[in-house]
Amino acid sequence: DAKTTQPTSMDCAEGRAANLPCNHSTISGNEYVYWYRQIHSQGPQYIIHGLKNNETNEMASLIITEDRKSSTLILPHATLRDTAVYYCIRRGTSYDKVIFGPGTSLSVIP
Amino acid sequence: KAGVTQTPRYLIKTRGQQVTLSCSPISGHRSVSWYQQTPGQGLQFLFEYFSETQRNKGNFPGRFSGRQFSNSRSEMNVSTLELGDSALYLCASSLLGGAGTGELFFGEGSRLTVL
């Protein structure tokens, strides 16, 4: 079975960029990489997704390596409100099960 | 527009009882998926519905079931509750069912406590 690996936890100073890595043991050509975050006891919130190219939106940037097995979510100027658990998942075009790993617990420190 | 609405937000049941949770997706979304979140197992996929048909199911016993109505609203049911069923149950809707470009929009969840 394909496995997704993320660091268990990370710290980031307020105002600095937070770079959260994600690795997939395998990823199919039609599978997108999605990032979500979950602030304590709330429903997960969509952040960004991508297939091959790097992506940017108002919340974050997503860097995907050429082999697509690694991606990095970048929060350019982390704030205390960015403290959350961040999940990266693969999501294809078929009705695949959506597999969430344990995610990365990001703590933004004043 | 309104987000994903889950009801009830909190409920307490006893072992052996059954429970039904409801999810109203974002207007126009036809896909609804359900997840169980516990401290020990994290977020686990339960099932996904699209156009009233179950498209995929996670590794949960038959006590966990669901359905989707013609207006895309969905319910999930857990029968013969066990202590281990205590969890946050999350529902997500998506414009596209299972497709790579359909981001998931989550509700706030229904927190079930089984005593």
Side-chain angles (χ1 to χ4, degrees):
Chain A
D1 283 349
K3 188 172 178 180
T4 297
T5 305
Q6 295 179 254
T8 302
S9 63
M10 294 180 64
D11 292 337
C12 178
E14 189 178 16
R16 303 297 294 269
N19 296 281
L20 292 88
C22 172
N23 292 300
H24 302 289
S25 57
T26 62
I27 184 166
S28 302
N30 65 356
E31 287 183 315
Y32 288 71
V33 175
Y34 280 79
W35 282 82
Y36 291 84
R37 72 180 183 185
Q38 186 175 27
I39 296 170
H40 184 63
S41 293
Q42 296 181 18
Q45 175 192 23
Y46 165 80
I47 301 173
I48 198 168
H49 73 281
L51 183 64
K52 294 187 214 179
N53 301 319
N54 299 338
E55 303 287 345
T56 296
N57 63 20
E58 64 279 2
M59 287 183 70
S61 294
L62 175 61
I63 308 295
I64 301 175
T65 58
E66 193 168 336
D67 67 2
R68 306 205 311 116
K69 289 185 177 180
S70 295
S71 65
T72 300
L73 176 75
I74 302 171
L75 307 176
H77 305 287
T79 71
L80 299 179
R81 288 182 296 181
D82 292 322
T83 292
V85 177
Y86 288 77
Y87 300 96
C88 77
I89 65 170
R90 296 172 295 115
R91 185 159 161 86
T93 54
S94 62
Y95 290 96
D96 296 330
K97 299 175 187 181
V98 180
I99 308 294
F100 282 85
T104 297
S105 178
L106 175 69
S107 296
V108 180
I109 301 167
Chain B
K1 58 184 174 182
V4 177
T5 304
Q6 290 189 246
T7 57
R9 289 292 312 279
Y10 302 91
L11 67 166
I12 299 174
K13 294 285 188 178
T14 56
R15 278 181 296 175
Q17 287 187 309
Q18 67 94 25
V19 66
T20 299
L21 308 177
S22 178
C23 173
S24 293
I26 291 172
S27 177
H29 286 194
R30 294 168 63 190
S31 170
V32 172
S33 51
W34 288 89
Y35 305 82
Q36 181 196 65
Q37 186 171 32
T38 60
Q41 298 297 319
L43 264 165
Q44 293 188 282
F45 172 79
L46 279 158
F47 23 66
E48 178 173 10
Y49 287 86
F50 183 80
S51 293
E52 302 177 65
T53 301
Q54 187 180 91
R55 303 291 176 164
N56 212 329
K57 188 175 178 356
N59 297 325
F60 280 82
R63 300 185 296 107
F64 292 80
S65 62
R67 59 179 175 167
Q68 187 180 35
F69 303 94
S70 59
N71 62 358
S72 295
R73 190 178 70 85
S74 177
E75 289 181 347
M76 68 162 282
N77 185 76
V78 187
S79 62
T80 319
L81 284 166
E82 301 176 0
L83 294 179
D85 297 332
S86 294
L88 180 66
Y89 289 88
L90 290 158
C91 160
S93 77
S94 173
L95 184 59
L96 302 170
T101 55
E103 56 261 38
L104 300 170
F105 294 85
F106 283 84
E108 292 303 310
S110 293
R111 184 166 294 281
L112 170 66
T113 301
V114 181
L115 301 177

